[in-house]
Amino acid sequence: MITILSGGTGTPKLIQGIKEIYPEEDITVIVNTVENEYFSGGYVAADCDTVMYTFADMIDDEFFYGIIGDTFKIRNILIEMGTTELLKIGDMDRAIKIQKTILLEEGKTLSEIVEHQKNKLGVKAKIIPMSDEDSEIKIITKEYGELKFHDFLIKHQCEAEVVEVQYSDVKPSSGLIQAIENADKIIIGPSNPITSIRPIIAIDGVEEALKEKEVIAVSPFLGEGAFSGPAAKFMNAFGFEASSIGVAELYKPFLKRFIIDTKDEKMKEEIEKIIPNVQTTNTFMKTLEDKINLAKFVLNE
């Protein structure tokens, strides 16, 4: 049994490799929810959906958002009628989000809804939203002050200088702590350490549970650059170096094994002062073979 902590981009790439070599029914994924938000009247839990679509082989893995081959008829009509949409939501993807909205209004929890939807899509893995409470993330910038995450990411194209990142305290969803306690291994994928992984770790009881387990993390950095997204800006805002060294410092309280890219071999000695067990391999996942090879390395297969 393995449990994976995930955001919506880097870790799902690793999941694509893991599910090729490890029984899907023995995988649990705890997913970040601080970026969940309503758009055009629909509830968007983008990271939960990305993980769900990844297991269902539906993910548009050019962007790791949305459904491969989706159409955009509704979006085009909305734009023609004068309604601007910040997110580009496809028709099939929108249907999944509409159902979430309806079921939330009926009193279902997000965990119950994700369980229902992943079962309908034939997903055998367990997918657990980190919390069923409303959670949010605020990006405090030098130029624009407080921004919602997607305004920073899409409207302002991550260009603003990040001064601070804030997210609300939420209670863990049912089964979250148990999913950590029951796992043989915990894998932290190469998602954004600040906006995807740290919100999960910050939940009451999570860090203490992680300290008792074999926790393996894959760095999302290559040198001082992140594989995707504005991770460097967020790391700096929290006072961490924007590199694998900074990630090691962030995960230090519980991390047992840290995997960095071969090209960061020069950092290995410095990182070993923080996390003694540091290993190097190719962590750049361009092809399915790359993803499977990294999955095998992570799982010691």
Side-chain angles (χ1 to χ4, degrees):
M1 298 285 288
I2 60 171
T3 292
I4 303 169
L5 308 191
S6 180
T9 306
T11 303
K13 293 179 182 179
L14 179 59
I15 288 172
Q16 283 185 321
I18 290 175
K19 74 187 191 73
E20 293 295 317
I21 64 169
Y22 197 86
E24 187 178 316
E25 60 272 18
D26 291 337
I27 302 172
T28 297
V29 185
I30 299 169
V31 189
N32 164 51
T33 61
V34 295
E35 298 166 21
N36 294 9
E37 194 176 341
Y38 282 88
F39 291 93
S40 303
Y43 185 75
V44 176
D47 289 359
C48 288
D49 287 347
T50 292
V51 170
M52 183 168 67
Y53 298 159
T54 297
F55 278 109
D57 294 323
M58 298 167 57
I59 189 67
D60 183 343
D61 56 9
E62 181 179 355
F63 305 103
F64 275 87
Y65 171 82
I67 295 172
I68 189 73
D70 212 344
T71 56
F72 295 87
K73 294 180 181 179
I74 295 174
R75 173 181 169 80
N76 292 339
I77 292 171
L78 286 170
I79 292 172
E80 288 173 9
M81 298 296 290
T83 296
T84 302
E85 280 198 306
L86 187 63
L87 289 186
K88 187 177 181 180
I89 304 174
D91 299 324
M92 292 185 290
D93 189 22
R94 195 182 300 268
I96 300 292
K97 293 166 175 32
I98 289 172
Q99 187 186 51
K100 277 192 181 66
T101 311
I102 293 169
L103 294 177
L104 284 170
E105 290 174 351
E106 291 178 356
K108 299 290 186 184
T109 66
L110 181 59
S111 292
E112 291 171 336
I113 295 165
V114 171
E115 178 74 10
H116 167 79
Q117 291 186 328
K118 69 98 178 171
N119 287 341
K120 286 290 186 180
L121 294 176
V123 174
K124 297 177 182 178
K126 183 76 174 176
I127 302 173
I128 302 178
M130 74 177 206
S131 181
D132 289 322
E133 296 183 342
D134 289 336
S135 54
E136 63 176 349
I137 185 168
K138 299 175 183 177
I139 312 300
I140 313 302
T141 67
K142 182 177 180 180
E143 295 88 346
Y144 307 105
E146 181 183 303
L147 293 175
K148 291 184 176 180
F149 181 80
H150 290 95
D151 284 338
F152 171 80
L153 193 70
I154 301 170
K155 184 177 180 180
H156 296 286
Q157 294 292 300
C158 306
E159 292 178 353
E161 181 180 340
V162 179
V163 178
E164 188 180 357
V165 180
Q166 301 173 349
Y167 28 79
S168 50
D169 292 328
V170 291
K171 294 179 181 177
S173 58
S174 176
L176 184 151
I177 301 297
Q178 187 177 17
I180 295 173
E181 292 175 341
N182 290 347
D184 298 315
K185 295 179 181 179
I186 309 293
I187 298 167
I188 301 178
S191 292
N192 191 308
I194 299 297
T195 59
S196 293
I197 303 301
R198 194 175 185 277
I200 302 173
I201 295 166
I203 291 176
D204 189 39
V206 170
E207 186 170 314
E208 290 305 311
L210 290 174
K211 288 178 180 178
E212 303 301 319
K213 307 302 296 184
E214 181 186 353
V215 183
I216 307 155
V218 178
S219 177
F221 281 91
L222 181 57
E224 295 183 353
F227 286 126
S228 63
K233 289 188 175 186
F234 296 143
M235 289 287 285
N236 288 333
F238 265 82
F240 292 103
E241 180 178 314
S243 70
S244 293
I245 294 172
V247 178
E249 290 281 6
L250 178 60
Y251 297 161
K252 179 181 177 179
F254 50 81
L255 191 59
K256 305 299 191 299
R257 180 170 155 233
F258 194 35
I259 298 169
I260 64 174
D261 194 84
T262 305
K263 293 179 181 178
D264 276 349
E265 178 75 37
K266 60 185 180 296
M267 293 185 183
K268 188 170 185 272
E269 186 175 342
E270 185 67 24
I271 297 172
E272 286 174 335
K273 297 175 184 177
I274 306 165
I275 308 294
N277 189 356
V278 180
Q279 298 176 320
T280 58
T281 190
N282 173 48
T283 61
F284 184 68
M285 294 177 283
K286 185 176 181 179
T287 66
L288 181 58
E289 183 180 7
D290 292 335
K291 297 165 188 176
I292 292 172
N293 287 339
L294 181 56
K296 288 178 177 178
F297 192 87
V298 170
L299 296 174
N300 285 326
E301 294 290 332

